[in-house]
Amino acid sequence: MATSPTLPVDVGSLNIEDYKVEGPSSIYYIPAFVSEAEESLILRRVNEAPLPRWTQLSNRRLQNWGGDPHPKGMIAEALPDWLKKYTDSIGSIKGIFENSPPNHVLVNEYRPGQGIMPHLDGPLFYPTITTISVGSHAVLNFYRPLDCDDVSAESSQSSETSQMSSWSSRLEFSLLVQPRSLLILRDKAYDYYLHGIEEICKDELTDKVINAGVLGLSPGDELQRATRVSLTIRHVPKTTKPMLKLFGIRR
Ligand SMILES: O=C(O)CCC(=O)C(=O)O
Ligand SMILES: [Fe+2]
């Protein structure tokens, strides 16, 4: 049997501070976290999943692995080996998940023109979000939360115009996440700034993209989108084993 490809990054000896993105706390970005061979394998596994695994939303589709996250607890579902490999390797990065290893993976698939509305991930997964991207890049936008000035500015405009202008006026910074990269968000990047991906087919980089320079790109550069699959890998606390569910025992 062919062995599965290995990660190009040696996670055991990785010092996460070497990958810190200058700017708002705390963002870490590891380019080429997975190899091209792994990228192809991830895309193949995602696409092999049976159709009922997918939830179709208006602007993307998703697969949920590890159980249904719920504040009262999650009935844990064993992760398939091809995903466990990544929860294990990310869980072993020093200083990231500590004593709460990742146990949940949300797979999002975006075709060109699709995206995700600005949002916070909520308290359930606090304090860490990690994301592997494959297939294409994304520009992840970060917005400051609504304050009183925004509310009064909005009330003087029509609702459609105000929604669009209020998001762009609240844009604080963006990150370019390239295929095969790992992104780690903690602290204010988790619970203060909302994050979202615009529903467009081509990204034109601006001076708000704080990691463009280190990646050798400049404002004005254009990146055509292809289909992107992201694996959002997080820790859900309070899990129960599926066996208990069989006997109707709840927590
Ligand atoms: O695809 C991404 O990188 C973002 C996904 C996301 O924000 C989410 O699922 O909560
Ligand atoms: Fe999110």
Side-chain angles (χ1 to χ4, degrees):
M1 205 173 79
T3 53
S4 65
T6 50
L7 295 165
V9 170
D10 178 8
V11 281
S13 60
L14 180 153
N15 177 5
I16 197 62
E17 294 307 317
D18 292 343
Y19 297 90
K20 197 162 192 312
V21 176
E22 292 289 326
S25 65
S26 289
I27 299 170
Y28 304 91
Y29 179 78
I30 306 181
F33 183 73
V34 299
S35 66
E36 285 183 19
E38 282 183 297
E39 176 181 40
S40 307
L41 195 64
I42 293 170
L43 288 167
R44 200 163 79 221
R45 294 281 178 259
V46 166
N47 287 312
E48 272 170 8
L51 216 52
R53 265 279 163 198
W54 288 105
T55 302
Q56 182 69 55
L57 305 179
S58 61
N59 54 357
R60 67 199 152 97
R61 58 175 188 161
L62 50 93
Q63 294 174 10
N64 189 65
W65 294 94
D68 276 328
H70 192 279
K72 286 196 177 150
M74 177 173 83
I75 314 280
E77 167 202 73
L79 289 167
D81 288 348
W82 66 272
L83 282 175
K84 185 133 190 351
K85 170 177 174 181
Y86 297 104
T87 54
D88 284 353
S89 72
I90 293 172
S92 70
I93 299 176
K94 286 188 194 68
I96 295 301
F97 278 101
E98 310 286 359
N99 299 321
S100 311
N103 55 2
H104 188 265
V105 183
L106 187 67
V107 175
N108 277 296
E109 182 202 69
Y110 308 85
R111 292 176 190 271
Q114 297 189 318
I116 187 166
M117 282 287 291
H119 65 280
L120 291 172
D121 281 14
L124 191 58
F125 309 100
Y126 188 81
T128 310
I129 307 170
T130 65
T131 309
I132 293 175
S133 298
V134 286
S136 186
H137 74 279
V139 172
L140 199 58
N141 293 324
F142 290 80
Y143 303 88
R144 63 182 166 77
L146 204 59
D147 63 22
C148 294
D149 288 347
D150 299 311
V151 176
S152 50
E154 271 181 33
S155 59
S156 61
Q157 294 177 347
S158 79
S159 67
E160 205 173 313
T161 348
S162 75
Q163 246 194 4
M164 278 157 51
S165 66
S166 77
W167 281 123
S168 57
S169 67
R170 286 163 60 190
L171 178 65
E172 288 278 308
F173 64 94
S174 304
L175 287 171
L176 172 62
V177 287
Q178 295 164 305
R180 299 182 294 285
S181 67
L182 174 69
L183 175 69
I184 302 173
L185 303 178
R186 310 191 74 186
D187 309 315
K188 277 180 91 174
Y190 184 111
D191 65 357
Y192 179 77
Y193 295 111
L194 292 85
H195 56 272
I197 299 169
E198 268 192 90
E199 296 182 17
I200 50 182
C201 293
K202 186 171 67 180
D203 292 286
E204 182 175 338
L205 302 185
T206 66
D207 58 5
K208 295 263 185 192
V209 184
I210 54 176
N211 64 336
V214 294
L215 300 175
L217 294 156
S218 317
D221 287 349
E222 293 186 340
L223 299 173
Q224 200 73 42
R225 289 192 194 168
T227 297
R228 169 174 177 263
V229 166
S230 66
L231 311 181
T232 301
I233 297 175
R234 296 174 290 201
H235 169 79
V236 180
K238 289 195 281 186
T239 53
T240 50
K241 294 261 164 22
M243 189 67 92
L244 300 178
K245 193 183 170 197
L246 277 179
F247 295 107
I249 300 169
R250 291 176 174 219
R251 289 176 53 149

